[in-house]
Amino acid sequence: MDNLSDALKKLKITAVDRTEDSLEGCLDYLLQALTQNNMETSEKIQESGILQLFETLLIPQSPCTAKVANIIAEVAKNEFMRTPCVDAGLISPLVQLLNSKDQEVLLQTGRALGNICYDSHSLQAQLINMGVIPTLVSLLGIHYQNAALTEMCLVAFGNLAELESSKEQFASTNIAEEMVKLFQKQTEHDKREMIFEVLAPLAENDAIKLQLVEAGLVECLLQIVQQKVDSDKEDDIAELKTASDLMVLLLLGDESMQKLFEGGRGNVFQRVLSWIPSNNHQLQLAGALAIANFARNDGNCIHMVDNGIVEKLTDLLDRHVEDGNVTVQHAALSALRNLAIPVVNKAKMLEAGVTEAVLKFLKSEMPPVQFKLLGTLRMLIDAQAEAAEQLGKNIKLVERLVEWCEAKDHAGVMGESNRLLSALIRHSKSKDVIKTIVQSGGIKHLVTMATSEHVIMQNEALVALALIAALELDTAEKDLESTKLVQILHKLLIDERSAPEIKYNSMVLICALMGSESLHKEVQDLAFLDVVSKLRSHENKSVAQQASLTEQRLTVES
């Protein structure tokens, strides 16, 4: 054949009359041309209209099928050829060919489908709907000794696993078993890296997490950590990170986490504990994150605190105070926050010096660290009056909280600072704490918090303000006036959207404010009596009762 045009013309004729030898020669010529100049050859193939004929050539019995699939795979490397391949109706016959016994046909078919659907979620979703996932998983099991086919399957899994719709199908196959089996056989870094790239998106699904744990993936990951921990080679460091990150990901599923915890006696849990005191930052990080994940139910938290986890975490934090690793700080604080949730752990953790360890990070300028620090302290002082009083009298802490209450760029830090300010008052019920907060300028933030869109925060603010008014009204009077608290309470009471507890606590606060002459006058000027008397018939009994009490108080005082 003299040129490409001749080959394409001849291919049209031979494709119709099926003379195998001539057909094979034309296909070989096309493949050679594609190797030399893929884009130009692809353009000519498109112009010739030959793509439409390929659908009839993709038949299982033909000796030319692998070559046709190979040509499709080559042309589909070009983005402009992918839609024409779809329009030519090539996807359906290619999917059928995945049932072939011929390894070369399977390889080229997989490549063709992969290239046509590359970067197209809608086409990949179409493949999923056509049932390619179970087919590919079984191919991996049958042809695991064929390196090229295995790689093709992994690339396909990697692409398909990014789609949420694929997870359910993957979970109904034995993908976990096949991937772990494959992983155990690999010694090369690149091959393992490829498997990791598939495992990470798959492991986002809770059912698959559990399947991977049951298939023995964790043991493989622990082995990698052990092998690579002391290496300073770039590949080994990367693999250590990937393995430990994946380990933490597996612990995000409730069932997989509980299975690995094994009542705190499990080998995996013990190994993870040993990562925390290590000198490797990546392992310290993974260890702390793993503990934070294990600490997702009260039973685990109580067991871990009783068995000395707090000391390990505070020691780790101490190593990262000066110029520390921010991700490690964040992870260790996350773990401590979770551990502090069960009531029985709070006193033990306070005794173990957790507040002192955490307060060392008050100077941190990193919002994620600030956020976890605040959450940890708030959990620790819940119903712990003495600790709340001690912290509430700490001027440095209170001043920092007031500063963070204005961190408008970081809503999480701002919200947690407000909540901790309120918690210090609510749990300590201490005049000294209130004085410290008033002197540091905290009142205006609590009043703003009472207008939050979150009912729980509104409520916490109103309860704290009621305690301030009951215990230290003289000290706080000016600030309560300047923040227009009385007008805010009026709005909360007339707003039909206000939750019952908000109305209730607003009325409790109104009664507490009556001890101030200036605030009392504001209440009278705003005709609160009318609003309150209407609430006597409120459907919520507590609100109705408080309305009656408030009405009596307002009537007596008027």
Side-chain angles (χ1 to χ4, degrees):
M1 273 169 285
D2 297 333
N3 59 36
L4 186 57
S5 302
D6 289 347
L8 289 167
K9 279 178 198 163
K10 191 167 183 190
L11 183 55
K12 273 189 176 179
I13 298 161
T14 53
V16 175
D17 62 20
R18 299 290 168 91
T19 45
E20 298 288 356
D21 290 348
S22 305
L23 184 59
E24 205 161 344
C26 293
L27 294 172
D28 284 338
Y29 189 89
L30 273 190
L31 278 169
Q32 197 178 347
L34 282 163
T35 308
Q36 286 162 359
N37 190 334
N38 191 311
M39 191 180 282
E40 193 183 320
T41 307
S42 296
E43 282 168 353
K44 288 192 172 162
I45 288 173
Q46 189 187 359
E47 287 160 15
S48 71
I50 200 85
L51 276 181
Q52 274 67 20
L53 292 176
F54 280 179
E55 183 187 359
T56 61
L57 297 177
L58 290 168
I59 46 175
Q61 309 87 300
S62 166
C64 297
T65 304
K67 285 179 181 171
V68 176
N70 191 355
I71 290 168
I72 297 168
E74 289 300 317
V75 299
K77 284 178 178 176
N78 303 290
E79 196 178 339
F80 68 88
M81 288 299 289
R82 289 169 195 158
T83 304
C85 285
V86 176
D87 294 344
L90 300 180
I91 287 187
S92 187
L94 283 168
V95 169
Q96 293 304 313
L97 285 175
L98 289 175
N99 297 306
S100 169
K101 300 277 187 288
D102 184 314
Q103 295 190 16
E104 185 60 20
V105 169
L106 288 170
L107 177 63
Q108 300 307 340
T109 301
R111 284 184 62 236
L113 284 169
N115 290 349
I116 293 171
C117 300
Y118 180 74
D119 232 13
S120 164
H121 284 344
S122 61
L123 288 176
Q124 288 169 357
Q126 194 180 323
L127 290 183
I128 292 166
N129 292 336
M130 292 170 86
V132 300
I133 288 174
T135 309
L136 288 169
V137 173
S138 64
L139 284 182
L140 181 67
I142 298 163
H143 301 289
Y144 63 89
Q145 285 169 317
N146 181 325
L149 255 182
T150 297
E151 194 166 315
M152 181 273 287
C153 288
L154 290 175
V155 171
F157 294 153
N159 290 328
L160 297 173
E162 297 294 338
L163 272 73
E164 205 44 52
S165 59
S166 72
K167 305 286 168 69
E168 212 169 297
Q169 276 206 28
F170 273 120
S172 66
T173 69
N174 63 337
I175 181 83
E177 214 176 298
E178 293 298 351
M179 292 297 285
V180 172
K181 215 189 306 177
L182 190 63
F183 193 85
Q184 287 165 336
K185 292 190 177 76
Q186 298 305 330
T187 50
E188 291 171 50
H189 169 77
D190 292 349
K191 294 273 166 47
R192 289 214 287 223
E193 200 60 35
M194 211 170 178
I195 297 171
F196 274 138
E197 279 168 20
V198 176
L199 288 172
L202 284 178
E204 284 166 13
N205 176 279
D206 281 0
I208 300 174
K209 280 185 182 79
L210 186 60
Q211 290 169 7
L212 288 168
V213 167
E214 287 172 341
L217 178 61
V218 174
E219 288 69 19
C220 300
L221 298 176
L222 289 172
Q223 204 174 346
I224 287 178
V225 169
Q226 201 171 350
Q227 288 165 357
K228 312 291 180 186
V229 66
D230 297 320
S231 171
D232 49 11
K233 283 188 198 158
E234 212 170 300
D235 280 357
D236 290 347
I237 292 167
E239 205 167 331
L240 174 78
K241 179 177 176 4
T242 311
S244 53
D245 283 350
L246 186 51
M247 178 83 192
V248 172
L249 182 57
L250 292 175
L251 292 172
L252 280 171
D254 287 339
E255 281 188 83
S256 50
M257 176 273 287
Q258 213 48 45
K259 189 173 179 67
L260 293 171
F261 189 65
E262 289 182 79
R265 292 179 298 279
N267 171 44
V268 174
F269 174 66
Q270 296 303 330
R271 291 281 285 280
V272 164
L273 277 185
S274 72
W275 293 355
I276 296 173
S278 90
N279 291 319
N280 183 304
H281 281 189
Q282 175 55 36
L283 280 194
Q284 292 171 1
L285 170 65
L289 286 173
I291 297 303
N293 285 337
F294 281 127
R296 286 208 316 279
N297 67 50
D298 284 6
N300 292 3
C301 288
I302 293 164
H303 177 90
M304 287 192 280
V305 167
D306 286 346
N307 283 276
I309 190 64
V310 172
E311 290 74 8
K312 283 187 168 66
L313 290 167
T314 51
D315 286 350
L316 177 61
L317 277 175
D318 279 344
R319 293 165 70 183
H320 286 275
V321 175
E322 299 302 328
D323 307 319
N325 182 303
V326 174
T327 50
V328 175
Q329 292 170 1
H330 179 259
L333 288 167
S334 297
L336 286 170
R337 182 200 172 280
N338 289 1
L339 290 165
I341 293 172
V343 178
V344 294
N345 280 357
K346 297 179 196 295
K348 293 172 188 169
M349 290 177 72
L350 289 164
E351 207 176 310
V354 172
T355 43
E356 292 79 4
V358 169
L359 286 172
K360 289 175 187 171
F361 294 91
L362 258 189
K363 56 182 184 287
S364 171
E365 294 302 331
M366 295 308 212
V369 173
Q370 295 166 355
F371 180 72
K372 287 297 177 187
L373 173 152
L374 292 163
T376 307
L377 291 176
R378 188 165 63 79
M379 286 302 158
L380 280 171
I381 63 165
D382 190 4
Q384 305 295 312
E386 198 181 318
E389 180 162 10
Q390 200 180 347
L391 282 177
K393 291 192 292 192
N394 180 330
I395 293 171
K396 270 188 186 166
L397 169 64
V398 174
E399 284 177 349
R400 195 72 161 129
L401 291 183
V402 170
E403 182 190 327
W404 285 341
C405 282
E406 290 168 7
K408 291 191 170 50
D409 294 343
H410 302 288
V413 172
M414 196 163 83
E416 276 293 345
S417 301
N418 278 300
R419 293 190 76 185
L420 182 53
L421 262 189
S422 157
L424 291 170
I425 295 167
R426 288 181 298 111
H427 297 303
S428 71
K429 300 181 177 60
S430 153
K431 290 184 169 209
D432 289 340
V433 169
I434 292 169
K435 282 177 186 163
T436 306
I437 288 172
V438 173
Q439 283 156 11
S440 303
I443 293 288
K444 64 179 180 188
H445 298 298
L446 291 171
V447 174
T448 305
M449 184 182 169
T451 63
S452 164
E453 59 196 28
H454 305 291
V455 174
I456 191 164
M457 286 178 69
Q458 273 187 295
N459 217 27
E460 287 171 1
L462 291 169
V463 172
L465 288 164
L467 283 164
I468 291 168
L471 297 169
E472 274 298 324
L473 188 54
D474 290 349
T475 310
E477 187 178 43
K478 279 198 177 67
D479 287 346
L480 294 172
E481 273 181 72
S482 64
T483 52
K484 309 255 187 303
L485 173 63
V486 174
Q487 287 93 317
I488 286 168
L489 294 173
H490 190 265
K491 274 185 198 158
L492 291 175
L493 287 175
I494 58 174
D495 188 346
E496 286 177 11
R497 293 165 305 175
S498 292
E501 58 267 42
I502 299 303
K503 291 190 185 294
Y504 176 87
N505 282 318
S506 295
M507 288 187 283
V508 170
L509 180 48
I510 285 293
C511 293
L513 294 175
M514 300 300 278
S516 152
E517 203 174 312
S518 53
L519 292 166
H520 182 177
K521 186 175 182 312
E522 281 186 42
V523 172
Q524 283 180 317
D525 292 347
L526 274 173
F528 265 85
L529 255 175
D530 301 346
V531 183
V532 171
S533 56
K534 281 179 192 161
L535 290 172
R536 278 193 348 216
S537 56
H538 196 279
E539 59 187 4
N540 182 292
K541 276 186 185 163
S542 301
V543 172
Q545 280 174 340
Q546 186 57 42
S548 295
L549 291 170
T550 307
E551 187 184 37
Q552 286 167 25
R553 180 79 191 268
L554 290 172
T555 311
V556 170
E557 301 273 354
S558 60

